[in-house]
Every structure is written in structure tokens, then in C-alpha cells.
């Protein structure tokens, strides 16, 4: 393919993209295929000779698209969103075309410098303290792993990377039982181990850690000869929105000089709205590490996760490795690959620049506020359905419910709803029972789309009960 052909096909794909997004409401949200349906249509071996791009795109429509779940569908109410606004898509097209590897300042100075500015724009938008810096990661999982590794190194006097963990006893990390499984995985990968991730049952209306229980767990571990390494708090857990009271947790952390990480991957975006901060964000200033995903609720195309750091040198001292060929001569510069686990880095900051400039904070705030309002309205409609139970009240735009019947009935209803195709929901588990989750957050959703949840739930329930 030459560059004239590239330009022509790029326009063709852009036109296809516009048609796709304009017609999303006519498509079933979740793929309606069965396992193996797509693979069986693909050749067993690669082609020996070139094929026409027209043929490849025809096969894309015919083979691939029926097997795609549409994350940008306005009636996607499952998991958390992975929004992709048009400006962020355009930025990604430019990033893909320039195709830079932005591991060091010298390999793309603009990428490094715009990343620093975009992180600071978001720091201001979230009302985090002056002087806090940060880095763009691929996902919250990577940010959390970076934080757990930093906890490990701080607890071992920054010798764990060099001498290993053998003979050091058990390092302990503390969190609530509402954390995402990425916390478990981070402890696996960091060598701390599942048994040393101490999960404290969440309590109260937001299912958060009680500081007295946290303190008691740390004291018990110290008495047993273990080494407390850090505390992981959450704002807006994945299952039902579990949220910790941050200030009391920080008091405990300070008493034992423990490193702290806050997972606000989904709900952190809502903290650009000042009215949500007093309830969910008080005490955030003191955390050593905070992560939130602009690629969820804020509208930046996946992947784009921002990790804020109170003192970036702790994480850099944990992760930095600098062979001669990666050194920058003659300048004091920031190399963000020294703050993250991968060496290679995409130019993720550009889509934030396009996104924030295109909508402004007011435009982004308006969407989040609408989602919260519509979720609160929807929960009352479901509450009014005969025999239905609201299990967890809305935490921002996330809530859960149950239909009449046992756990089998819940799964039967979820499966039937998703087979229907008009909306997409997921099941979850809470306090030993299966629940049905609803999360409003797709960037282009409307009040009418959200209210369709009640319509579909009612109609499908009548058909399957």
C-alpha cells in the first residue's frame, strides 16, 4: 500500500466509523455469537499472496463485526464504560500515524512534556494538592502493581529488588473486601502473596473499612512478627461501589509509616464535580499514590490511566533501571519509563489534550452529573417493580438489584436481558447473594436510553419468570 492508497482508505474507514456510531442504537449491545463462530470463518493458514484492502474490509464487516460487543453503545450499562469520544479518537489516529515510541524525553520531547501538563490539568480538575505529580499508565492494574512494588521496596529499605524477599518474613498489605481483583493480582506478581493481602470486611452504607479494625489488624500482625507494608483504599469499588472513609485510614497509615494507594479507577472521574468530593474524596490529599482511569467515565479512548504520586522518587527508585543506551546526555529531563513497569510507552497524553480542550471541564462535568441523576431516577423505577429489591443504593451512577427468586433466577434474568440485545447488564455477588448491576456512564447515553432499562427488565422478566 502506498501513501495515496493509505489516504483513500483512511477516509473510507473514517466514513465507516461515523456510520457505525450513528447507527449503534440499532445493534444489539452484546455480541450474539456463540464460542467458535468467528474462528471457524477464518482460514487455517496465513495467505501467501497479497489481498485487496476492499476484500479485507468486507470480511471485517461480515466476520468480525457480528462478534463484537459494542462498548460505545448508548445502552451499555455493564461493567464500567470504556468511553471513546470523537476528539480522543482523532488524537489516536494522529498517534497511530506518527507511531512514536515515547519511552524517553529524547525519543519524543513533546510527548513527555504534554504528559506532564495533562497530568497537572487533571490534578487541578480533581482538586489534588499542588506539587503532586504523576504519570500516565495503560491501566489501573499497572498503576496498582507499581504502587504495591513501591510498598514492598519501602518496607524492605529498597533492597527487595536487589536481594529478593527470602528470609524477610511476611510483608502484609491491607485493604477492604470490596477491592478489585487487580489488587490481589498485584500482590501475586510482587511476590507478597495472596495470604498476605489482609482483607477487612467493609461496613456501613458505603461498605468501607473501619479504621479501628484496620488498626487492630496491623497490631496483630506486628505482634506475630509480620511486616506491614502498605494500605490500599478504594473510592468506587467495582462490585457495588464500595468506598472507604479516607481520612481515618490515613491516620492509621501515618501511625505506622505505611505507604498508601487509592484505587479510584472508575469513580475518580466524578471528582471533577466539586459536589461529590466532600462525601467521597475527603482526606485524599495525604495519599502517596492515587489512580483513576480517564478511559472509563471521562471519555478518553482506551487505554489511559493516570497515577498521581505525592513523592514520585519512591516509585522511580523502585522501578528505574538505566543502561547506558537509555541515558540522556546534557540535560536534566523526565523519562516516564522510569516511573512505570514497561519501557515502551505510547503517546497517551495527546487524547487528553484533545478531549479536555474539546469539551472543557464544564462539558465533562455536565455528562457525569446527568449520569448520576438518571441512575437515581432509574433506581426508584426498579424499586417500584413488584417483588424487586434494591440491594445496594446508588454510589454515584452504580447500583444493584434482585428480581424475585433465588440466585438461579437472577442469572436467568441477566442472560435473557443480554440475549434480548437492547441493553447490556452484568451479574455480581454481594454478601453471599447474586445481584444484577447497573452502571450508567456511556458518554453518549441519554435519559431515554437509561429509562429503557426498566422497560427491558419488566418485559424480559414477564417472559422468563
Amino acid at each position: 500500500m502506498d501513501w495515496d492508497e493509505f489516504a483513500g482508505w483512511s477516509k473510507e474507514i473514517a466514513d465507516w466509523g461515523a456510520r457505525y456510531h450513528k447507527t449503534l442504537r440499532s445493534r444489539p449491545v452484546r455480541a450474539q455469537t456463540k464460542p467458535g463462530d468467528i474462528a471457524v470463518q477464518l482460514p487455517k493458514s496465513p495467505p501467501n499472496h497479497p489481498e485487496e484492502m476492499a476484500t479485507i474490509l468486507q470480511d471485517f464487516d461480515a466476520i468480525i463485526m457480528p462478534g463484537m460487543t459494542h462498548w460505545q453503545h448508548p445502552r451499555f450499562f455493564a461493567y464500567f464504560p470504556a468511553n471513546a469520544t470523537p476528539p480522543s479518537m482523532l488524537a489516536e489516529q494522529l498517534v497511530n500515524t506518527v507511531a512514536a515510541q515515547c519511552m524517553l524525553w529524547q525519543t519524543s520531547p513533546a510527548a513527555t512534556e504534554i504528559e506532564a501538563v495533562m497530568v497537572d490539568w487533571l490534578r487541578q480538575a480533581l482538586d489534588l494538592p499542588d506539587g503532586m505529580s504523576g504519570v500516565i499508565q495503560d491501566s489501573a492494574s499497572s498503576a496498582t502493581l507499581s504502587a504495591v512494588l513501591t510498598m514492598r521496596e519501602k518496607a524492605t529499605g529498597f533492597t527487595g529488588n536487589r536481594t529478593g524477599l527470602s528470609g524477610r518474613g511476611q510483608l502484609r498489605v491491607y485493604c477492604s473486601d470490596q477491592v478489585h481483583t487487580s489488587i490481589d493480582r498485584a500482590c501475586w506478581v510482587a511476590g507478597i502473596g495472596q495470604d498476605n493481602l489482609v482483607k477487612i470486611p467493609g461496613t456501613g452504607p458505603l461498605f468501607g473499612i473501619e479504621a479501628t479494625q484496620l488498626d487492630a489488624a496491623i497490631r496483630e500482625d506486628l505482634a506475630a512478627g509480620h511486616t506491614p507494608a502498605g494500605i490500599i483504599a478504594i473510592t468506587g469499588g467495582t462490585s457495588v461501589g464500595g468506598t472507604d472513609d479516607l481520612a481515618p485510614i490515613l491516620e492509621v497509615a501515618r501511625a505506622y509509616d505505611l505507604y498508601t494507594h487509592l484505587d479510584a479507577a472508575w469513580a475518580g472521574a466524578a471528582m471533577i464535580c466539586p459536589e461529590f468530593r466532600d462525601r467521597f474524596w475527603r482526606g485524599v490529599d495525604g495519599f502517596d499514590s492515587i489512580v483513576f482511569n480517564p478511559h472509563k467515565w471521562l471519555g478518553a479512548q482506551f487505554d489511559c490511566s493516570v497515577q498521581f504520586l505525592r513523592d514520585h522518587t519512591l516509585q522511580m527508585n523502585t522501578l528505574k533501571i538505566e543502561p547506558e543506551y537509555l541515558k540522556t546526555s546534557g540535560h536534566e529531563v523526565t523519562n516516564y519509563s522510569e516511573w512505570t513497569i514497561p519501557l515502551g510507552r505510547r503517546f497517551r497524553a495527546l487524547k487528553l489534550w484533545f478531549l479536555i480542550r474539546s469539551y472543557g471541564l464544564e462539558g465533562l462535568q455536565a455528562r457525569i452529573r446527568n449520569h448520576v441523576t438518571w441512575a437515581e431516577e432509574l433506581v426508584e423505577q426498579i424499586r417500584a417493580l413488584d417483588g424487586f429489591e434494591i440491594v445496594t443504593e446508588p454510589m454515584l451512577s452504580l447500583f444493584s438489584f434482585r428480581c424475585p427468586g433465588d440466585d438461579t433466577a437472577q442469572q436467568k434474568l441477566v442472560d435473557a436481558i443480554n440475549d434480548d440485545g437492547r441493553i447490556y447488564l452484568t451479574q455480581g455477588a454481594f454478601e453471599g447473594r447474586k445481584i444484577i448491576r447497573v452502571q450508567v456512564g456511556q458518554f453518549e447515553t441519554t435519559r431515554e436510553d437509561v429509562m429503557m432499562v426498566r422497560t427491558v427488565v419488566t418485559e424480559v422478566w414477564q417472559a422468563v419468570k
Side-chain angles (χ1 to χ4, degrees), residues 122 126 128 132-147 180 182-183 232-236 259-269 271 281 284 287-296 304-310 315:
L122 290 172
L126 297 171
L128 295 173
M132 198 171 230
S133 58
V135 61
I136 301 177
Q137 303 259 18
D138 57 356
S139 67
S141 296
S142 293
T144 295
L145 175 57
S146 300
H180 189 268
S182 60
I183 280 75
I232 298 175
I234 49 172
T235 298
Y259 194 86
T260 53
H261 174 66
L262 174 61
D263 180 358
W266 160 64
M271 301 308 130
W281 212 231
V284 70
F287 274 79
D288 295 301
S289 169
I290 303 164
V291 64
F292 97 104
N293 290 345
H295 70 231
K296 283 192 167 74
C304 184
S305 181
V306 175
Q307 183 188 16
F308 299 99
L309 295 164
R310 196 155 61 99
Q315 185 157 302

Side-chain angles (χ1 to χ4, degrees), residues 188-257:
W188 299 354
V189 176
I192 290 171
Q194 183 73 59
D195 290 346
N196 294 309
L197 178 60
V198 181
K199 292 187 177 181
I200 298 166
T203 60
L206 293 177
F207 318 110
I209 299 175
E210 284 287 343
T212 53
Q213 293 187 31
L214 174 62
D215 184 78
I218 295 172
R219 288 180 180 276
E220 183 178 335
D221 281 345
L222 286 169
H226 304 322
T227 303
I231 300 170
I232 298 175
I234 49 172
T235 298
T238 300
S239 180
V240 296
T243 296
D244 292 317
D245 190 354
L246 303 181
I249 289 174
L250 279 175
E251 290 181 15
V252 175
R254 291 190 185 108
Y256 298 98
D257 190 28

Side-chain angles (χ1 to χ4, degrees), residues 14 152 165 253 297 302:
R152 186 193 74 186
L165 300 182
W297 209 354
F302 187 86

Side-chain angles (χ1 to χ4, degrees), residues 377-390 399 401-404 413 417 436 451-462 465:
E377 185 177 351
L378 176 61
V379 83
E380 297 307 321
Q381 293 193 8
I382 293 179
R383 196 192 310 273
L385 296 177
D386 186 33
F388 278 68
E389 170 195 358
I390 300 301
F399 68 91
F401 70 93
R402 280 175 63 94
C403 66
L413 178 57
I417 285 170
I436 302 173
M451 296 311 124
M452 185 175 283
V453 173
R454 179 193 181 280
T455 299
V456 174
V457 167
T458 303
E459 292 178 0
V460 173
W461 169 245
Q462 291 299 321
K465 69 176 182 179

